[in-house]
Amino acid sequence: MRAWSVVDPGPVEAGPLRLVDKPVPVPGADELLVRVRACGVCRTDLHVAEGDLPVHRAGVTPGHEVVGTVAGFGAAVSGFDVGERVGVAWLRRTDGTCGYCVRGSENLCPASSYTGWDADGGYAEYTTVPAAFAYRLPGALDDVPLAPLLCAGIIGHRALRRSALPRGGRLGLYGFGGSAHLCAQVAMAEGATVHVLTRGADARKLALDLGAASARDAYAMPPEPLDSAILFAPAGELVPVALRALDRGGTLAIAGIHLSDIPVLTYESELFYEKQVRSVTSNTREDGREFLALAAEHSVHATTHTYPLSRADEALRDLKAGRFDGAAVLVNDLS
């Protein structure tokens, strides 16, 4: 099969990915073989390609927002049929026995592994997934708008819950890409007032079109104090900016897997009055199931820009440069 491989992690402009021939993967006993139909382009893929995340698998194929069909399965799998549509997301496997897994925090499992980082992902004709970590997908949505829901949507949902937003509260979103524009729709459907702070004019327009109360530059102050904020942009310098925008008792959730260094914080203006900072680490399968149900209930939709899978490197360059709003999705043209 044809697949993209991270052959030399580094700046995406220098071409760290190469389109290569790889064997069609053989599913393990508890795994599905999935023929890829569409794969979302996530900022985490960019971090893997550029080496911001340390190499876990040499020559890995990125991609963890996969919509595909079951093409085969291992001997221990039951309950899936060939041809059935499934989703493959970031969290690939956990041990299921550690204290974190037992208490329902499998996202913190020290033995966890991830699609497109520890194992080859969806920038390819085929990928595999443990059957227990595959998502059954609603039939109403097409492949392309579904793909970003499988990571951008799920992580945005966990970040929203981690932000401790009170009912009817005021939420600030810093950065407005694939994850934030899905998170905003859920928050507004649940009664929140959403203010968007982001650098891109197109992203600010999209925010207003979706119903945000305001959309300003990332370093501007929102028009009112915030009860909660979520930092989606991987820019540590925005942490004090967001903290200053919080009302007393407010919470900032940092949603990214990678963040540049945070400047020194000033206690009086940025942390005092019981403000909180929380990180977000991956997600649980329950987060995924809950979000997909909410997305169907509230008609959450991704604003998408499609690229052929054969141009995945171009999609990552455009993501880094901020050349599109919403999310990019690769459509398999390799088979």
Side-chain angles (χ1 to χ4, degrees):
M1 69 172 185
R2 300 289 281 166
W4 287 93
S5 175
V6 181
V7 295
D8 187 18
V12 71
E13 299 86 356
L17 276 78
R18 187 176 303 157
L19 191 56
V20 301
D21 290 315
K22 285 188 175 185
V24 174
V26 177
D30 66 344
E31 294 180 345
L32 307 176
L33 175 65
V34 177
R35 182 185 178 277
V36 175
R37 288 168 38 166
C39 184
V41 177
C42 180
R43 187 165 290 275
T44 301
D45 303 333
L46 182 62
H47 294 318
V48 169
E50 295 202 313
D52 296 325
L53 296 179
V55 173
H56 278 192
R57 177 184 176 90
V60 72
T61 294
H64 56 273
E65 296 178 339
V66 181
V67 177
T69 53
V70 176
F73 41 77
V77 174
S78 61
F80 287 90
D81 297 318
V82 170
E84 181 177 352
R85 190 169 68 154
V86 295
V88 181
W90 175 237
L91 184 65
R92 177 182 178 82
R93 194 184 288 277
T94 60
D95 63 23
T97 60
C98 70
Y100 302 103
C101 288
V102 169
R103 77 185 194 200
S105 300
E106 65 181 4
N107 60 305
L108 301 179
C109 175
S112 57
S113 62
Y114 299 93
T115 308
W117 191 20
D118 297 292
D120 286 343
Y123 287 23
E125 294 180 63
Y126 291 90
T127 190
T128 60
V129 61
F133 286 80
Y135 288 95
R136 298 184 186 276
L137 299 177
L141 283 179
D142 293 336
D143 297 341
V144 168
L146 258 176
L149 304 188
L150 290 163
C151 179
I154 294 171
I155 292 296
H157 176 64
R158 185 169 185 87
L160 180 60
R161 298 299 180 242
R162 291 283 292 163
S163 76
L165 179 68
R167 184 169 294 277
R170 301 157 297 177
L171 175 67
L173 301 179
Y174 287 80
F176 203 69
S179 195
H181 90 291
L182 297 170
C183 173
Q185 293 175 61
V186 173
M188 289 186 288
E190 294 180 338
T193 299
V194 173
H195 300 286
V196 170
L197 298 306
T198 192
R199 65 181 183 177
D202 288 344
R204 292 195 293 269
K205 180 180 183 302
L206 174 61
L208 295 173
D209 289 345
L210 289 173
S214 72
R216 299 182 175 184
D217 182 77
Y219 291 87
M221 287 294 287
E224 59 180 337
L226 304 172
D227 297 301
S228 301
I230 305 173
L231 177 59
F232 288 102
E237 62 267 25
L238 287 174
V239 170
V241 174
L243 286 169
R244 288 194 294 271
L246 289 177
D247 204 350
R248 299 181 181 205
T251 298
L252 169 64
I254 301 174
I257 191 173
H258 171 77
L259 188 73
S260 61
D261 289 344
I262 299 171
V264 173
L265 299 176
T266 302
Y267 182 67
E268 177 66 29
S269 61
E270 292 156 6
L271 284 174
F272 196 49
Y273 298 117
E274 300 194 350
K275 297 178 183 181
Q276 300 183 74
V277 180
R278 290 178 166 183
S279 65
V280 179
T281 299
S282 186
N283 63 274
T284 67
R285 284 170 285 177
E286 183 56 33
D287 291 330
R289 290 187 286 264
E290 182 178 288
F291 171 71
L292 290 173
L294 282 172
E297 177 184 351
H298 297 305
S299 300
V300 173
H301 61 279
T303 296
T304 57
H305 304 269
T306 59
Y307 292 73
L309 182 54
S310 59
R311 288 165 48 198
D313 54 345
E314 178 184 341
L316 282 176
R317 290 194 297 271
D318 288 351
L319 171 64
K320 183 178 181 179
R323 295 191 182 104
F324 54 77
D325 55 8
V329 178
L330 307 174
V331 177
N332 188 357
D333 65 332
L334 300 177
S335 60

mmCIF file of all heavy atoms in Angstrom, residues 197-220:
data_model
loop_
_atom_site.group_PDB
_atom_site.id
_atom_site.type_symbol
_atom_site.label_atom_id
_atom_site.label_comp_id
_atom_site.label_asym_id
_atom_site.label_seq_id
_atom_site.Cartn_x
_atom_site.Cartn_y
_atom_site.Cartn_z
ATOM 1 N N LEU A 197 -10.690 34.416 20.779
ATOM 2 C CA LEU A 197 -9.478 35.226 20.695
ATOM 3 C C LEU A 197 -8.484 34.465 19.833
ATOM 4 O O LEU A 197 -7.960 33.422 20.241
ATOM 5 C CB LEU A 197 -8.896 35.451 22.088
ATOM 6 C CG LEU A 197 -9.692 36.212 23.164
ATOM 7 C CD1 LEU A 197 -10.148 37.577 22.677
ATOM 8 C CD2 LEU A 197 -10.832 35.412 23.747
ATOM 9 N N THR A 198 -8.233 34.963 18.633
ATOM 10 C CA THR A 198 -7.388 34.220 17.689
ATOM 11 C C THR A 198 -6.763 35.176 16.691
ATOM 12 O O THR A 198 -7.295 36.268 16.429
ATOM 13 C CB THR A 198 -8.214 33.132 16.975
ATOM 14 O OG1 THR A 198 -7.349 32.245 16.275
ATOM 15 C CG2 THR A 198 -9.224 33.727 16.011
ATOM 16 N N ARG A 199 -5.656 34.766 16.078
ATOM 17 C CA ARG A 199 -4.902 35.668 15.213
ATOM 18 C C ARG A 199 -5.492 35.810 13.818
ATOM 19 O O ARG A 199 -5.288 36.816 13.152
ATOM 20 C CB ARG A 199 -3.459 35.199 15.098
ATOM 21 C CG ARG A 199 -3.302 33.863 14.401
ATOM 22 C CD ARG A 199 -1.874 33.400 14.304
ATOM 23 N NE ARG A 199 -1.775 32.127 13.562
ATOM 24 C CZ ARG A 199 -0.640 31.523 13.289
ATOM 25 N NH1 ARG A 199 0.502 32.047 13.689
ATOM 26 N NH2 ARG A 199 -0.635 30.374 12.615
ATOM 27 N N GLY A 200 -6.187 34.788 13.328
ATOM 28 C CA GLY A 200 -6.588 34.765 11.923
ATOM 29 C C GLY A 200 -7.913 35.468 11.659
ATOM 30 O O GLY A 200 -8.911 35.212 12.335
ATOM 31 N N ALA A 201 -7.937 36.323 10.647
ATOM 32 C CA ALA A 201 -9.178 37.018 10.294
ATOM 33 C C ALA A 201 -10.244 36.037 9.827
ATOM 34 O O ALA A 201 -11.432 36.190 10.160
ATOM 35 C CB ALA A 201 -8.900 38.059 9.212
ATOM 36 N N ASP A 202 -9.860 35.027 9.034
ATOM 37 C CA ASP A 202 -10.840 34.041 8.572
ATOM 38 C C ASP A 202 -11.421 33.257 9.745
ATOM 39 O O ASP A 202 -12.617 32.952 9.776
ATOM 40 C CB ASP A 202 -10.194 33.072 7.573
ATOM 41 C CG ASP A 202 -9.907 33.727 6.232
ATOM 42 O OD1 ASP A 202 -10.460 34.816 5.968
ATOM 43 O OD2 ASP A 202 -9.128 33.157 5.448
ATOM 44 N N ALA A 203 -10.566 32.924 10.711
ATOM 45 C CA ALA A 203 -11.044 32.193 11.883
ATOM 46 C C ALA A 203 -11.993 33.056 12.709
ATOM 47 O O ALA A 203 -13.003 32.554 13.230
ATOM 48 C CB ALA A 203 -9.864 31.745 12.736
ATOM 49 N N ARG A 204 -11.698 34.340 12.830
ATOM 50 C CA ARG A 204 -12.607 35.231 13.569
ATOM 51 C C ARG A 204 -13.950 35.338 12.869
ATOM 52 O O ARG A 204 -15.016 35.339 13.511
ATOM 53 C CB ARG A 204 -11.972 36.610 13.744
ATOM 54 C CG ARG A 204 -10.767 36.603 14.683
ATOM 55 C CD ARG A 204 -10.385 38.010 15.137
ATOM 56 N NE ARG A 204 -9.885 38.835 14.047
ATOM 57 C CZ ARG A 204 -8.601 38.921 13.714
ATOM 58 N NH1 ARG A 204 -7.687 38.217 14.364
ATOM 59 N NH2 ARG A 204 -8.226 39.721 12.732
ATOM 60 N N LYS A 205 -13.934 35.390 11.546
ATOM 61 C CA LYS A 205 -15.196 35.433 10.803
ATOM 62 C C LYS A 205 -15.992 34.146 11.010
ATOM 63 O O LYS A 205 -17.215 34.181 11.222
ATOM 64 C CB LYS A 205 -14.934 35.648 9.318
ATOM 65 C CG LYS A 205 -16.213 35.714 8.473
ATOM 66 C CD LYS A 205 -15.915 35.938 7.005
ATOM 67 C CE LYS A 205 -17.197 36.086 6.200
ATOM 68 N NZ LYS A 205 -18.091 34.919 6.319
ATOM 69 N N LEU A 206 -15.316 33.003 10.958
ATOM 70 C CA LEU A 206 -16.000 31.735 11.185
ATOM 71 C C LEU A 206 -16.623 31.706 12.573
ATOM 72 O O LEU A 206 -17.765 31.250 12.738
ATOM 73 C CB LEU A 206 -15.021 30.572 11.023
ATOM 74 C CG LEU A 206 -15.559 29.184 11.362
ATOM 75 C CD1 LEU A 206 -16.735 28.804 10.468
ATOM 76 C CD2 LEU A 206 -14.447 28.135 11.247
ATOM 77 N N ALA A 207 -15.898 32.208 13.574
ATOM 78 C CA ALA A 207 -16.429 32.224 14.936
ATOM 79 C C ALA A 207 -17.727 33.018 15.013
ATOM 80 O O ALA A 207 -18.709 32.576 15.629
ATOM 81 C CB ALA A 207 -15.386 32.808 15.884
ATOM 82 N N LEU A 208 -17.740 34.178 14.395
ATOM 83 C CA LEU A 208 -18.955 35.001 14.415
ATOM 84 C C LEU A 208 -20.078 34.332 13.634
ATOM 85 O O LEU A 208 -21.252 34.366 14.046
ATOM 86 C CB LEU A 208 -18.650 36.391 13.853
ATOM 87 C CG LEU A 208 -17.677 37.239 14.683
ATOM 88 C CD1 LEU A 208 -17.321 38.517 13.938
ATOM 89 C CD2 LEU A 208 -18.260 37.559 16.054
ATOM 90 N N ASP A 209 -19.742 33.703 12.514
ATOM 91 C CA ASP A 209 -20.761 33.003 11.723
ATOM 92 C C ASP A 209 -21.391 31.864 12.513
ATOM 93 O O ASP A 209 -22.576 31.550 12.333
ATOM 94 C CB ASP A 209 -20.143 32.452 10.431
ATOM 95 C CG ASP A 209 -19.785 33.542 9.431
ATOM 96 O OD1 ASP A 209 -20.253 34.680 9.587
ATOM 97 O OD2 ASP A 209 -19.010 33.251 8.492
ATOM 98 N N LEU A 210 -20.614 31.241 13.387
ATOM 99 C CA LEU A 210 -21.128 30.125 14.190
ATOM 100 C C LEU A 210 -21.910 30.594 15.406
ATOM 101 O O LEU A 210 -22.543 29.778 16.086
ATOM 102 C CB LEU A 210 -19.980 29.225 14.639
ATOM 103 C CG LEU A 210 -19.314 28.381 13.544
ATOM 104 C CD1 LEU A 210 -18.085 27.674 14.089
ATOM 105 C CD2 LEU A 210 -20.297 27.366 12.960
ATOM 106 N N GLY A 211 -21.844 31.905 15.702
ATOM 107 C CA GLY A 211 -22.645 32.427 16.810
ATOM 108 C C GLY A 211 -21.871 32.936 17.993
ATOM 109 O O GLY A 211 -22.467 33.247 19.038
ATOM 110 N N ALA A 212 -20.540 33.060 17.890
ATOM 111 C CA ALA A 212 -19.766 33.609 18.998
ATOM 112 C C ALA A 212 -20.188 35.047 19.273
ATOM 113 O O ALA A 212 -20.533 35.802 18.356
ATOM 114 C CB ALA A 212 -18.277 33.551 18.684
ATOM 115 N N ALA A 213 -20.147 35.437 20.544
ATOM 116 C CA ALA A 213 -20.552 36.786 20.929
ATOM 117 C C ALA A 213 -19.538 37.831 20.507
ATOM 118 O O ALA A 213 -19.891 38.997 20.274
ATOM 119 C CB ALA A 213 -20.758 36.842 22.442
ATOM 120 N N SER A 214 -18.269 37.435 20.407
ATOM 121 C CA SER A 214 -17.235 38.348 19.933
ATOM 122 C C SER A 214 -16.084 37.532 19.382
ATOM 123 O O SER A 214 -15.938 36.341 19.682
ATOM 124 C CB SER A 214 -16.734 39.265 21.062
ATOM 125 O OG SER A 214 -15.938 38.534 21.985
ATOM 126 N N ALA A 215 -15.255 38.176 18.568
ATOM 127 C CA ALA A 215 -14.059 37.541 18.007
ATOM 128 C C ALA A 215 -13.004 38.624 17.848
ATOM 129 O O ALA A 215 -13.194 39.567 17.071
ATOM 130 C CB ALA A 215 -14.365 36.874 16.675
ATOM 131 N N ARG A 216 -11.912 38.476 18.600
ATOM 132 C CA ARG A 216 -10.869 39.487 18.626
ATOM 133 C C ARG A 216 -9.502 38.832 18.459
ATOM 134 O O ARG A 216 -9.380 37.613 18.474
ATOM 135 C CB ARG A 216 -10.927 40.264 19.946
ATOM 136 C CG ARG A 216 -12.242 41.006 20.152
ATOM 137 C CD ARG A 216 -12.259 41.804 21.444
ATOM 138 N NE ARG A 216 -13.488 42.592 21.566
ATOM 139 C CZ ARG A 216 -13.734 43.432 22.560
ATOM 140 N NH1 ARG A 216 -12.855 43.592 23.546
ATOM 141 N NH2 ARG A 216 -14.886 44.114 22.578
ATOM 142 N N ASP A 217 -8.480 39.675 18.326
ATOM 143 C CA ASP A 217 -7.112 39.172 18.235
ATOM 144 C C ASP A 217 -6.753 38.396 19.505
ATOM 145 O O ASP A 217 -7.279 38.667 20.593
ATOM 146 C CB ASP A 217 -6.148 40.341 18.052
ATOM 147 C CG ASP A 217 -4.710 39.872 17.906
ATOM 148 O OD1 ASP A 217 -4.353 39.389 16.811
ATOM 149 O OD2 ASP A 217 -3.953 39.957 18.896
ATOM 150 N N ALA A 218 -5.838 37.457 19.368
ATOM 151 C CA ALA A 218 -5.489 36.573 20.482
ATOM 152 C C ALA A 218 -4.979 37.334 21.700
ATOM 153 O O ALA A 218 -5.148 36.871 22.839
ATOM 154 C CB ALA A 218 -4.445 35.555 20.024
ATOM 155 N N TYR A 219 -4.343 38.481 21.516
ATOM 156 C CA TYR A 219 -3.766 39.225 22.631
ATOM 157 C C TYR A 219 -4.692 40.319 23.152
ATOM 158 O O TYR A 219 -4.334 41.026 24.104
ATOM 159 C CB TYR A 219 -2.417 39.815 22.225
ATOM 160 C CG TYR A 219 -1.369 38.747 22.032
ATOM 161 C CD1 TYR A 219 -1.215 38.112 20.800
ATOM 162 C CD2 TYR A 219 -0.562 38.336 23.086
ATOM 163 C CE1 TYR A 219 -0.269 37.114 20.622
ATOM 164 C CE2 TYR A 219 0.386 37.337 22.916
ATOM 165 C CZ TYR A 219 0.524 36.732 21.684
ATOM 166 O OH TYR A 219 1.451 35.727 21.512
ATOM 167 N N ALA A 220 -5.864 40.447 22.568
ATOM 168 C CA ALA A 220 -6.834 41.443 23.027
ATOM 169 C C ALA A 220 -7.589 40.921 24.243
ATOM 170 O O ALA A 220 -7.650 39.713 24.493
ATOM 171 C CB ALA A 220 -7.818 41.772 21.902
#
